[in-house]
Each structure stands twice: as C-alpha cells, then as structure tokens.
Amino acid sequence: MSIVQPPANSLLDFEQDRFSNTLEFFQSVIDQVSDTIAPVWPLQDYVAVNPYFGISHLSFLEARSYLRSFSDCETLMPLEYYAATYRKNQFTVADIESAIEELSDSEYSPRLSGSQIAQRLARMEFFENAIDVPTPASNGTRTTHTIAEIATAKTGVDWTERIVDEISKHCASHYDRGQATWACNYKHLTLYQAWRSVTQHDCNIEVLGLRGFRKFVKSLSPMPEAAIVQLLNQMGVPSQQWASVLLCQAYSIPGWSAWTKYQTNWTDADGAACNDLIGLIAIRLAYDAALARSHSLSPDWDASDEKGYATFQSQAPRRDEDSTLRYVLLRASEIAYRNRLTKAFAGNANKATSSNERKLGQIVFCIDVRSERIRRQWESLACDIETFGFAGFFGMGFQYAELGQKSGNMQLPVLLKPQFTLKEGSSSDDMRIENSCIEKRKRIRTSQKAWERFQASAVGCFSFVETSGLLYGFKLLSRALGYSPKVRDDKLGPTLRGLTEQGISMARQADMAEGMLRNMGLIKNFAKLVVFCGHACQTENNPLAAGLDCGACGGHSGEPNARFAAQLLNQPEIRKLLSERGIEIPSDTHFLGALHNTTTDAIQFFEVDQVPMGLRSAFQELQSSCQAATKQTQIERLPVVGSDSQSALLKRASDWSEVRPEWGLAGNAAFIVAPRSLTKNAMLDARSFLHSYDYRQDAQGHVLETIMTAPMIVANWINMQYYASTVDNPHFGSGTKTVHNVVGGFGILSGNGGDLMTGLPWQSLHTGQALQHLPMRLQVVIAAPRTMIERVITKHSLVSHLLAGAWLHLVAIEDGVMYRYATQGNWEQLGRVDQATLPS
C-alpha cells in the first residue's frame, strides 16, 4: 500500500508532536491496523479464515490482551462451560494437573492446584448451552472506546447501531454484484469517494439526530488518508493512541472491515490499487468526529492507561485469576483429547495388517475431516481397498470455465493463483452435444433473468403474489416435502483441450502429475483402479453452502480437480514421461474421478464408460463395496445429525428449511500426518484431518515442508474459524441462520441491517441442546524424525510463531515414541506407540 501525497493546502498535518513528523509514522499505524484484520471471502468462494491470523506472531494470551484493549472480543470460553464439560468427564483432575505442569514456568501458571480447580468447577451451577447466540461477558479491561459508545451511554440512543446501519447501507450498494434493481451511480469511485459523494445529499443520519453531517462531510479531504489524520486531529487524539483508536473504529464494524480487507488485498490489481479498508476507517471515524462535535463530547485522552494502547510489541497479558483458570482449563481439555487420540493409535497397533497382494482399489480422499468415516468404513468392509488423504484440489490448481463461459471458479486454495484455465466440454469431443448444452443454458438464463425482471418491475411487483401464488404454493409444498429435482448433464466435464495453447506442455502436465503422486506418497504398488475422490455438499436454500464444500478448491466442489487428475494420468504420453522419472504405472491401472457427497455420503464415479473392458468386473466390485460403505457411514452418522433413519438423513440434503443439513467441519481437533497404518482402524469420530505421509519416501524433507507450510496452515485456519465462531460468535461468527439475508450477492446480513456477517452461523456449531464443536486448538501429529520437523520450524517463521504462541500443538512420533513440542522449542516425551503401526 502507498500513501498518496496530499496537495499543499491539505489539512494533513504531521506537526502535532515528534511522533508524527513523517508519512512513515502514519503508514506504520495503517499497516498495524490492516495487519490485525483478517479478510472474508464472498459467498460463492466462501472459505475458512483464521480471524487471528494477523496477530499470530503474538502468543495466544498476548493476542487476547491486545484485542481486548480496543474491543470486546473474547478468545476464551467462560468458566461455566468448563464446569459443564468437567461434569461430563471430558477432562479430569489429572488433565488439569498436566496443564498446570505445562504452564508452570510461564506467567499463566494458576495459584490453585488441580484438585482445588476441580472442586471449584464442581460447586458451580451447571452451564446450559443456550440455543440463542451467547453474548460474551463485558470487557472491564478495555481502554479505548468509540465516540458512538460514549454518546450511547450519555444519551440513551444507540448511536453505534445507527452508524453501522448507515455504513452498511452504503457498502451494500457500493459492492453490489447485480442483486439490487437500482445500481449505485458511484461504483466507479473508491468506497470513500463514493460515500463522500452520496452522503452530501443524504439527510437520513441528520433526521436521526446527527445535525450538520452533510456540511461536515463536505469539509473532509477527498483522500481517505488525509481525512483520517484531519479527523484524529480534530478529535484531539494523541499520536501514540492513533493505532488504538483506529483499531477500535475497525472492530466496531468487523464484518465490513473484513470485506474491505479482502477487496484491498485479494481482488484484482485495480481493486488492490485503492485501499478501501482505509476508506472504511475514514468513513467510520467521520461519524464519530461529527457526533463528538454535535453532542459536545470531548474524551479525556490523557486519562487513558498508557499500558493499554494497542501495540504489536510483545507484552505480558494482564493477569487475572478468572482468565488464567479459563486458559488452564482450555489446555486441560486439549490434553484430554490428545490422550484419547494417541490411545486410539495404540489400540490400532494391534490390528494393523499388511499384505503384498495387489489392491483392487486405491481411493484418494481430501484430508477433510468428513472423509474419515467413509474411509474407515470402506477399508473395514473390503480388505483389498486402500485409502489415502491429500489436499482436495489434488495439486491441480486452475480456473474452471463452464461450457460457453470464458472464466469461472478458482479451483485451488485461495492463497494460490491459477496457472491455466480448464474448460468444460464433452468427453467425446462431440460438438453437437456441446452446442446443444450451450443453447439450453442460454434459454434457462434468459428465462430466469426475464422472470426476475418481472418480479421486480412496477407492473409485476404488486400483483406478483396474486398472479403466481398458486404456482408457488405447489413449489413450496414440494420443497417442504424435500423434493427438489436436480438437473445434471453427465455428458459434460473437464477436458484437456486448450492446455498447450496456454503454455501447459506435455512436460508441464507430467510435472503436475509427478508432484501430485510424490506428495501423496503414491509412487509404486498401484492398484488396478485408482480413484481421485473430490467432495462437495448438497444443501438447499443455504447462502453459506460454499463453506460446506472443499476449502482446498476455493470453496467449490472438488469434482473438476478429481476428474482432471484422472484424465491426466490415463494419458499414455504422461505415463511414459513418469516412467522416465522413476514412477512406473502398470499398463492395466486405470484412473477414475469421483465425488463424495458429504451430506449423504454417497460417492459418484465419472467416465465409467471409459473403464477398460478387462476392469469392468473389478469396477463393479469396487462400486459394490463403496455402496456398502456409504450405508454404514450413514448409519454411523444418524445420531450425530439427529436423524432416526437413513431416509431422514437423506432428506436433509434437499430440505430447504433444514438449518443443519450436515455438520461440515464442526468438531475438528487434529491434523495427522502419517501412514494410514497409524489411523486405519482408529475411531476418530470425523474430528481429524488425515494427510498421508511416509518419511522414508521423503529423504530431503521437501514433502514434509510442503505439508507443514500449506495443508497444516489451512487446517489451522479452519480450526481457528470454528474456534472463534464458537467462543465469540457476535464478533467472529454470523449469528443465527433463520434471519440471514443475502446482501449484494456476496455476503449476508442478520435481518435487514447491521454489520456484514462473517464466520460460522450458530446452527453450524450448536445442536440446539449442546455445542457440536468443542473449541480447542489444533493438535498436529507428525510421524517423522524430529530433526526433519525442526528444519521446517526453523526455516519458516510462520510455523515457528504458531507453535511458540500456542496457536496449535505438535506431537512427533519417532521410533514408536511420542514427543510434545513445547512452546520453548524443546521436546518432552509423552509415551510410546506400538512400532507395528509405523514404518521404521
């Protein structure tokens, strides 16, 4: 980001004191504010984001103290929650003692013993998990507040709500993606410039009591950077408090702050050139400054506690017995889970078997926790089936353009950029089929647009219900009964056409294939059938449906990636090049693409007509065992989703009123990097990301480095999104689904106003009676020599910070012994795992 130099007559004035003599100071303040805020992606690409990512170089409790100096954000569950979980035997006195011992050398060590803490929990009232979204307790340590909060307390009028509604109205209009009938006339301008143009003619906030606001806005600099400094000076804010005040402003509208952060840092080059996050902060600050002037509010900035100013400098968190106990109990619950997890490994050791016979099928699933159940069921039903875990985009990152379109979805993690565009088409290269499909889609789109225009037109809007009510009655009845037919054209799919024209030569295609196979550890002993199984959800009337799809595929279905990977490896030219690189694929091995429906656990195979005749019976056997695994997985999931029959479970997928069609990644707690032999028969309850890895095939440690710096970081993002949405849903979640409204085609509001909603809805975390997601930090288990792991930690500061700050926990398994990686950077032995489970 660069600061535009203001004109000579600008009100930008850095002469107030020695701290603000240069633009560099203001730049550092803005950078600090921007770095703290995490982005939120649009609904169509909705992916998990760690809301603490920008401050993950601080320790977990330092970050809590930092956030609570300028906001009411909470990062710890209340004591009542731990009292309930303790009574449910989810952790014991021994676990509390272990947590105290781990923290004994830190400032977080409690003054009470484990038994004293347990006695205190036993005396507390039982915590009832509320159906409604809970509100975190008030923050008595906060040192910075907005003028709107002060005015609300003084006047009894909720100025924060009024201001947020005004800003939300403007942002929704400015960023609208075609949902609104009347488009904003200032969309070509930046957010701040558009707001300044519109607000000079909008008297709504003046009617609500903020007198003279239009004239006040007209007096502001046309540049948001200059306006911010102008407003801070008008309010008399000392320069050393600028960061605190601006962070307080941003966190008073966390949803739109996250959205403008996305617009600034993650859109195209044009979007990145204008910093809309700065513009939003300038807008928010303008309301506060005008409110201070209108109501003669003059905060005593000098009376603030200097130790409470927001700063990135590492500082010990403010110690209080309540937060210390809560942190210890969080660690105790994590230790209890770790012990159950590692005990499952040990129990699996005695069941591990090996065979030199060639497998019938090898199924590569996404590491997504929802794959764990069906992998276990399938392997238990068919001894000639072997499963692998790998990132769901299969290392095939591209833009997928549907037939008739020039661009489309980004089928790769959001942190990466696509290298080419994969086009949808007919597998038979029959142009008649493609032309027919294109015409059909055009007709559908044209009729849909015409119908939408009629609904919103002056003629149709008032008479719409009367003229079409009966037809909609039938539609509503069918959807209420769970009938919602899906039209799918299986004749279409990804094609290899046009790759060479984009510079993706046969050698580069071989590079992609080799990288995928080596990173998943599948370079020999190929089965007769190898299936790449992407995943997607099936749900109706759900604006956040993309959050249930594949995060590795940018919040989309993994189907195109799976089918493309199979097509790539079925090419004789690719196999020849791989053979020259030491990967020999038998001539009778055939690759297939498939899709795991995570709502129903059904698996659909693609291009089955291309299975060689000699493998037809093998495929039928594979398909039969797959159907049996699906049935067993559905039965296992019945109590989890609250269904009393398989038909009821399946109905959830097409029920438009269902707020919990599936649980997504709720419950996620572990990321396991190991051979399948470690986890094959372990009951992991769909709480673990399972990444296949054999360190014996990774002499240089490159694969491990990739896993620890990519999939592990993504798993941490997912884990922290679920954690934050559970611990503090008002700030980091999205409230209740039942009142969600789509705004602008890119986000959701709760009701008809308020801030943009981010994070997970309460129904994705809570059953209605109890929490489905138990908030705890990710437990990473890696079966590899500690020296290999340490090389990655030392090389990558991001990984080092996550571990040192206790944002995730790490256990290494080496020679059958488990070691915990302490925050001080040393290893502590935990116990043994039977060596029969692991390669030596």
Side-chain angles (χ1 to χ4, degrees), residues 549-587:
D549 280 336
C550 183
C553 300
H556 306 117
S557 164
E559 176 189 329
N561 304 74
R563 296 174 74 173
F564 175 67
Q567 290 180 25
L568 208 59
L569 287 165
N570 281 329
Q571 294 183 91
E573 298 90 341
I574 296 295
R575 294 197 186 192
K576 181 180 178 182
L577 290 172
L578 290 176
S579 177
E580 295 171 358
R581 303 177 187 191
I583 301 178
E584 194 70 43
I585 301 175
S587 59

Side-chain angles (χ1 to χ4, degrees), residues 373-374 376-378 380-381 601 625-638 646:
R373 281 195 175 95
I374 196 164
R376 171 168 36 83
Q377 292 289 356
W378 203 344
S380 68
L381 291 168
D601 275 309
S625 62
C626 174
Q627 292 169 351
T630 291
K631 182 177 180 180
Q632 288 299 111
T633 306
Q634 290 171 349
I635 293 172
E636 182 180 331
R637 286 181 57 219
L638 290 180
Q646 287 172 268

Side-chain angles (χ1 to χ4, degrees), residues 324-481:
T324 300
L325 287 180
R326 290 155 67 190
Y327 185 69
V328 169
L329 293 170
L330 166 64
R331 187 68 193 117
S333 66
E334 294 166 342
I335 289 172
Y337 173 74
R338 182 190 70 196
N339 292 341
R340 290 193 295 270
L341 183 69
T342 55
K343 189 176 293 185
F345 299 160
N348 183 46
N350 299 324
K351 301 176 184 177
T353 60
S354 61
S355 173
N356 293 324
E357 293 184 8
R358 188 182 183 190
K359 299 291 184 182
L360 168 71
Q362 291 165 324
I363 322 298
V364 185
F365 283 90
C366 182
I367 61 175
D368 188 287
V369 299
R370 290 167 291 181
S371 302
E372 186 270 327
R373 281 195 175 95
I374 196 164
R375 287 180 63 182
R376 171 168 36 83
Q377 292 289 356
W378 203 344
E379 289 171 330
S380 68
L381 291 168
C383 61
D384 54 358
I385 294 296
E386 181 180 21
T387 69
F388 293 78
F390 192 63
F393 77 116
F394 303 107
M396 306 292 166
F398 50 78
Q399 181 179 197
Y400 185 55
E402 293 187 352
L403 190 63
Q405 303 294 317
K406 293 183 179 180
S407 62
N409 295 331
M410 304 297 176
Q411 296 288 140
L412 74 171
V414 294
L415 299 178
L416 304 178
K417 297 292 184 183
Q419 300 300 309
F420 61 96
T421 298
L422 190 66
K423 298 180 180 179
E424 183 187 40
S426 168
S427 58
S428 64
D429 291 336
D430 190 334
M431 293 298 105
R432 291 175 299 177
I433 295 176
E434 293 190 4
N435 292 334
S436 175
C437 290
I438 291 174
E439 290 301 318
K440 181 180 178 181
R441 291 180 181 182
K442 284 182 178 179
R443 289 195 299 270
I444 292 174
R445 282 196 294 267
T446 301
S447 61
Q448 287 176 338
K449 289 181 179 179
W451 185 243
E452 290 170 359
R453 284 196 295 269
F454 168 72
Q455 288 177 299
S457 68
V459 176
C461 62
F462 294 106
S463 57
F464 177 71
V465 175
E466 289 79 3
T467 57
S468 60
L470 185 60
L471 293 175
Y472 261 75
F474 289 119
K475 182 177 181 179
L476 291 175
L477 178 61
S478 65
R479 294 181 72 180
L481 294 174

Side-chain angles (χ1 to χ4, degrees), residues 578-709:
L578 290 176
S579 177
E580 295 171 358
R581 303 177 187 191
I583 301 178
E584 194 70 43
I585 301 175
S587 59
D588 62 343
T589 291
H590 185 75
F591 294 87
L592 282 165
L595 186 70
H596 174 206
N597 183 328
T598 53
T599 314
T600 66
D601 275 309
I603 292 181
Q604 179 181 5
F605 298 91
F606 300 102
E607 282 79 48
V608 296
D609 59 324
Q610 297 179 21
V611 175
M613 190 62 64
L615 292 175
R616 293 291 173 89
S617 61
F619 175 71
Q620 291 175 358
E621 185 179 347
L622 178 79
Q623 201 169 29
S624 177
S625 62
C626 174
Q627 292 169 351
T630 291
K631 182 177 180 180
Q632 288 299 111
T633 306
Q634 290 171 349
I635 293 172
E636 182 180 331
R637 286 181 57 219
L638 290 180
V640 180
V641 297
S643 294
D644 54 9
S645 66
Q646 287 172 268
S647 60
L649 181 146
L650 296 176
K651 184 180 177 182
R652 304 172 83 90
S654 54
D655 184 352
W656 71 309
S657 64
E658 179 57 64
V659 293
R660 298 179 181 91
E662 60 155 287
W663 281 116
L665 293 95
N668 73 85
F671 180 75
I672 302 173
V673 184
R676 179 57 172 156
S677 58
L678 180 68
T679 58
K680 183 175 181 179
N681 298 298
M683 293 287 290
L684 301 179
D685 299 322
R687 301 188 66 186
S688 300
F689 301 93
L690 301 178
H691 200 300
S692 297
Y693 177 69
D694 185 346
Y695 75 87
R696 297 174 304 176
Q697 300 180 15
D698 185 29
Q700 302 302 317
H702 297 318
V703 174
L704 180 62
E705 182 178 3
T706 299
I707 293 172
M708 291 183 66
T709 56

